[in-house]
Amino acid sequence: MPATKTKIPEAFQITQEIHQGTYLVNGELRKWEGSTTPVVSTISSTNDYAPTTLGSIPDMGEPEAMEALDAALAAYDKGQGVWPTMKVKDRIECMESFVKKMEQKRDEVVKLLMWEIGKSLPDSYKEFDRTVEYIYDTIEEYKQLDRDSAKFQKHDGVYAHIRRGPLGVVLCLGPYNYPLNETFALLIPAIIMGNTTVFKPAKHGVLLITPLLEAFKSSFPKGVVNILFGRGRAVAAPIMKTGKIDVLALIGNSKSANALQEQHPKSNRLRLVLGLEAKNPAIVLPDADLDLTINECIAGTLSFNGQRCTALKVVYVHEDIKEEFLKRFSEKVDALKFGNPWDEGVNLTPLPEPGKPAYIQELLDDAKTKGAKVMNKKGGKHFDNYIWPAVLYPVSKDMRVYEEEQFGPIIPVVSFKDIEEPLDDMAESNYGQQVSLFGKDVYTLSPLIDSLANLVCRVNLNSSCQRGPDVYPFTGRKDSAQSTLSVHDALRSFSIRTFVAFKDNDLNNETIEQLLEAKVSNFLSTDYIL
Ligand code: G3H
């Protein structure tokens, strides 16, 4: 059959490959002359399946990593740089200039989000818009933080003017499932608080950063944002080895985080802002409203094919309702629509990692040999770039799918008789991000909520797990996270309280009055940003 492009709307067709030939270091878009890595989408452009080449990115190594680190160190200049000492108002202006330029790139970024990671059109728009909103909210929050600091306190005869100051140089690494949102939820607060940064995009979702390089370059002083391309091992590891990184900000898996942390020779100096794996459970009680529960469990397990750190990755269902739950849930899974990201009403989309269907198949085979059955008719069916989500039951603790964070379309279901069973499993688990609890009886729910709140960091009542709205704290216990992110918390995670103190006497009071009147200190100031 001849290859055609008829099914892809014109606006989303790949008419020209993007060969990213520059990288951002020290305020310059430097030309890359070295080797490159092709960027290939698992989505086909033709009727006969074939992956689509989207372009290429630089395959950088240690010399470029050192250039970027040196630029960030020079821009920080031991805390004396233009950026860390700049007035808050001026830093905010730079950020406003950036976000305005970014907004103009919406369509370009959304198109690449679909091709590079297979995110559906509405979800890609949502990721972009949510990120823009996050930046505006961060600006507002920072203004408020600054207003709250524009004062003096006095205790025991000592005055204090307390602000939040930057930490230094931040190495920022984001995940492929939210290459824009999660990455920027680290990068933006890090920058605005006066830190300087080195940023490397994730393994998928890289080209979509390239339309924004010019905006980063022209909005911030040189060296504040440095952007590298390549493999983490080749660029991030040598940077960590120098011991000159003050904050490792990473959303991804703990293996990479641990490997990078270990490279840093001065562990006390290194701050960690980490969002790592999770295995969020759903717990379905016998009195749960099954229509609502099934809809929430579908969204929780299969939004973006389960490739979310907040996805529901194991479903505990009370014995009394397991038959009905499994039947209706399985039917709903099979009624979902699989297609390309731009297809109308699509729920399931191609997996961006070429090896993912085979990995999911391994989990499936392992579970089957240990006694689990695939409950839905389409479960495990293979496509060129997909494997249909299998609802697996009964799942036991010796199965890989119970232990591993599947990060893809496969749904393990465990039944329970006594609520202590899922609670004990959660207490034993290495993870502690969120839980979804489905039920109605307040006398059953109340003690459960009290226990669950101490096992995870967000108990979602009759609702699937999620990060948003971004004003709420996003964190986890145990191996799931370090530090807290939210519009409010991230500004704190990327800064430290630092202050000027002086004893109450005539000399000091006069000096401070003169200092404030002269308006020459950017730190010591009672000016309000309106
Ligand atoms: O990958 C993890 C994300 O933080 C999930 O965010 O719950 O908004 O999809 P979300």
Side-chain angles (χ1 to χ4, degrees):
M1 205 158 73
T4 64
K5 289 190 173 183
T6 49
K7 281 191 185 154
I8 304 175
E10 213 180 313
F12 305 139
Q13 287 179 12
I14 300 295
T15 47
Q16 217 179 356
E17 292 180 6
I18 303 170
H19 296 283
Q20 180 52 38
T22 57
Y23 59 106
L24 180 61
V25 168
N26 207 29
E28 293 164 29
L29 284 172
R30 293 195 184 157
K31 208 164 162 38
W32 174 248
E33 312 276 6
S35 61
T36 59
T37 311
V39 178
V40 181
S41 170
T42 57
I43 301 173
S44 182
S45 295
T46 56
N47 284 346
D48 305 322
Y49 178 79
T52 305
T53 300
L54 303 176
S56 63
I57 49 158
D59 185 14
M60 299 181 160
E62 190 164 343
E64 299 72 40
M66 290 306 120
E67 277 175 45
L69 175 64
D70 288 346
L73 283 165
Y76 195 69
D77 193 15
K78 307 181 190 86
Q80 299 164 37
V82 172
W83 188 248
T85 57
M86 192 183 268
K87 276 197 171 81
V88 169
K89 184 169 110 342
D90 296 335
R91 280 212 293 263
I92 286 176
E93 264 172 36
C94 293
M95 192 57 84
E96 280 170 344
S97 148
F98 171 76
V99 69
K100 288 202 176 86
K101 289 173 201 159
M102 174 177 168
E103 281 176 283
Q104 292 161 17
K105 303 289 181 185
R106 184 174 186 249
D107 289 336
E108 252 176 277
V109 173
V110 162
K111 178 173 168 181
L112 286 165
L113 266 170
M114 292 191 287
W115 277 99
E116 285 194 85
I117 62 160
K119 193 166 275 190
S120 72
L121 180 61
D123 282 353
S124 295
Y125 275 124
K126 200 161 119 195
E127 175 160 355
F128 188 91
D129 296 341
R130 173 182 177 184
T131 308
V132 166
E133 201 184 313
Y134 186 92
I135 301 176
Y136 280 116
D137 289 348
T138 297
I139 291 172
E140 282 314 307
E141 185 69 26
Y142 192 27
K143 284 185 189 168
Q144 190 54 46
L145 186 68
D146 192 69
R147 283 184 209 118
D148 294 343
S149 322
K151 62 178 185 213
F152 288 84
Q153 307 180 12
K154 188 182 170 191
H155 295 282
D156 300 334
V158 179
Y159 280 106
H161 180 67
I162 309 174
R163 288 187 175 275
R164 296 203 73 95
L167 291 160
V169 178
V170 179
L171 175 62
C172 184
L173 306 163
Y176 81 79
N177 63 335
Y178 281 89
L180 192 71
N181 185 262
E182 296 256 8
T183 312
F184 280 35
L186 297 173
L187 195 57
I188 299 299
I191 297 170
I192 209 169
M193 289 311 292
N195 302 286
T196 61
T197 58
V198 177
F199 155 48
K200 189 198 82 68
K203 63 178 169 176
H204 302 289
V206 185
L207 285 176
L208 60 90
I209 298 295
T210 67
L212 304 172
L213 288 184
E214 183 58 44
F216 276 118
K217 172 185 175 297
S218 56
S219 306
F220 300 103
K222 66 176 188 178
V224 172
V225 185
N226 303 281
I227 302 180
L228 294 172
F229 299 96
R231 286 169 358 147
R233 234 172 299 151
V235 292
I239 291 179
M240 290 298 286
K241 258 189 216 158
T242 63
K244 290 178 180 165
I245 287 295
D246 299 287
V247 187
L248 172 64
L250 179 149
I251 296 191
N253 71 64
S254 52
K255 265 195 212 136
S256 337
N258 292 340
L260 286 172
Q261 269 167 255
E262 280 159 20
Q263 304 277 346
H264 199 292
K266 299 174 186 163
S267 58
N268 293 335
R269 169 172 169 175
L270 182 69
R271 295 264 176 144
L272 298 168
V273 179
L274 309 175
L276 305 172
E277 300 98 287
K279 191 87 182 169
N280 293 342
I283 301 178
V284 186
L285 300 172
D287 66 338
D289 174 329
L290 269 196
D291 286 331
L292 176 147
T293 303
I294 287 168
N295 285 339
E296 290 294 320
C297 285
I298 291 281
T301 53
L302 290 175
S303 297
F304 194 39
N305 307 300
Q307 300 166 117
R308 297 161 59 230
C309 58
T310 50
L312 290 175
K313 299 197 179 100
V314 54
V315 181
Y316 287 90
V317 187
H318 193 273
E319 270 203 354
D320 292 357
I321 49 161
K322 74 168 191 244
E323 305 285 333
E324 195 183 345
F325 177 89
L326 281 167
K327 182 175 169 291
R328 288 168 59 185
F329 183 73
S330 299
E331 282 166 8
K332 273 248 156 140
V333 170
D334 282 355
L336 294 172
K337 180 175 170 186
F338 169 69
N340 280 329
W342 39 81
D343 292 348
E344 190 71 29
V346 77
N347 310 103
L348 308 171
T349 48
L351 299 167
E353 295 174 288
K356 197 50 143 320
Y359 167 68
I360 297 289
Q361 183 66 52
E362 275 179 30
L363 296 182
L364 189 55
D365 293 342
D366 171 77
K368 283 207 299 201
T369 57
K370 291 170 183 161
K373 289 198 175 61
V374 177
M375 306 306 290
N376 54 328
K377 291 198 185 91
K378 294 190 194 171
K381 185 175 163 198
H382 276 263
F383 298 74
D384 295 306
N385 48 18
Y386 200 66
I387 178 166
W388 198 272
V391 181
L392 280 175
Y393 178 81
V395 163
S396 52
K397 290 186 195 173
D398 57 338
M399 295 175 187
R400 285 179 59 192
V401 73
Y402 175 85
E403 203 58 48
E404 295 175 25
E405 187 197 37
Q406 62 267 46
F407 219 76
I410 185 163
I411 307 154
V413 180
V414 182
S415 71
F416 69 93
K417 204 177 190 160
D418 182 343
I419 189 62
E420 290 304 323
E421 296 165 36
L423 290 183
D424 286 349
D425 290 353
M426 285 173 72
E428 263 170 44
S429 161
N430 289 328
Y431 307 115
Q433 192 197 58
Q434 301 189 17
V435 64
S436 288
L437 178 62
F438 296 94
K440 289 200 279 265
D441 176 48
V442 291
Y443 295 99
T444 311
L445 290 173
S446 302
L448 263 178
I449 290 172
D450 294 353
S451 305
L452 289 168
N454 292 342
L455 288 169
V456 294
C457 287
R458 175 165 164 164
V459 179
N460 299 277
L461 191 57
N462 292 313
S463 314
S464 64
C465 297
Q466 61 180 48
R467 172 178 177 153
D470 290 326
V471 290
Y472 292 147
F474 177 53
T475 185
R477 296 171 188 268
K478 298 190 261 185
D479 295 348
S480 286
Q482 272 196 47
S483 302
T484 303
L485 294 170
S486 75
V487 172
H488 173 88
D489 293 293
L491 293 178
R492 285 153 182 84
S493 298
F494 286 103
S495 62
I496 189 160
R497 299 226 297 168
T498 173
F499 66 109
V500 176
F502 54 95
K503 288 186 182 156
D504 179 11
N505 60 37
D506 290 348
L507 171 71
N508 283 340
N509 296 353
E510 208 173 298
T511 308
I512 293 295
E513 266 172 31
Q514 281 176 16
L515 255 162
L516 290 172
E517 252 168 54
K519 290 190 184 295
V520 279
S521 166
N522 293 341
F523 184 92
L524 206 109
S525 155
T526 48
D527 286 356
Y528 260 62
I529 304 175
L530 296 174

